[in-house]
Amino acid sequence: MAEHELDARRLLCPMPVIRVQERIAKLESGDMLRVYCTDPGALLDIPAWCRVHGHRVLESGEHAGEVTLLIAVSGPAEDTH
């Protein structure tokens, strides 16, 4: 299990979600991904994408115009589909 970071600042919808999808595809089950965004829509879009794909958002918030999310990556064996 490792923690990774993704800087998606200054990207507009749908790019933060696409970057999360690309990065999670390279991670292992149990890894954590901390995402930094400036698109306020990411607070809704990324958790929705995570629910569909079986990943969990452990933390989310917005401070000073920056959105931060912490995602727990689930592997295919843990997928809800």
Side-chain angles (χ1 to χ4, degrees):
M1 181 172 100
E3 185 167 324
H4 305 269
E5 291 187 353
L6 174 65
D7 183 352
R9 294 176 184 106
R10 295 174 300 283
L11 298 176
L12 298 176
C13 184
M15 291 311 297
V17 175
I18 291 170
R19 293 287 165 83
V20 166
Q21 180 178 356
E22 292 170 348
R23 187 65 178 274
I24 285 180
K26 298 176 183 176
L27 300 180
E28 300 290 328
S29 179
D31 283 354
M32 307 289 232
L33 179 62
R34 188 169 302 275
V35 182
Y36 300 98
C37 305
T38 49
D39 179 0
L43 270 176
L44 298 174
D45 298 341
I46 292 173
W49 181 89
C50 288
R51 279 190 300 276
V52 168
H53 294 279
H55 308 292
R56 291 181 300 133
V57 175
L58 303 177
E59 299 172 9
S60 66
E62 184 176 5
H63 183 270
E66 185 169 287
V67 173
T68 306
L69 300 105
L70 179 63
I71 301 168
V73 177
S74 298
E78 300 175 52
D79 201 346
T80 58
H81 300 300

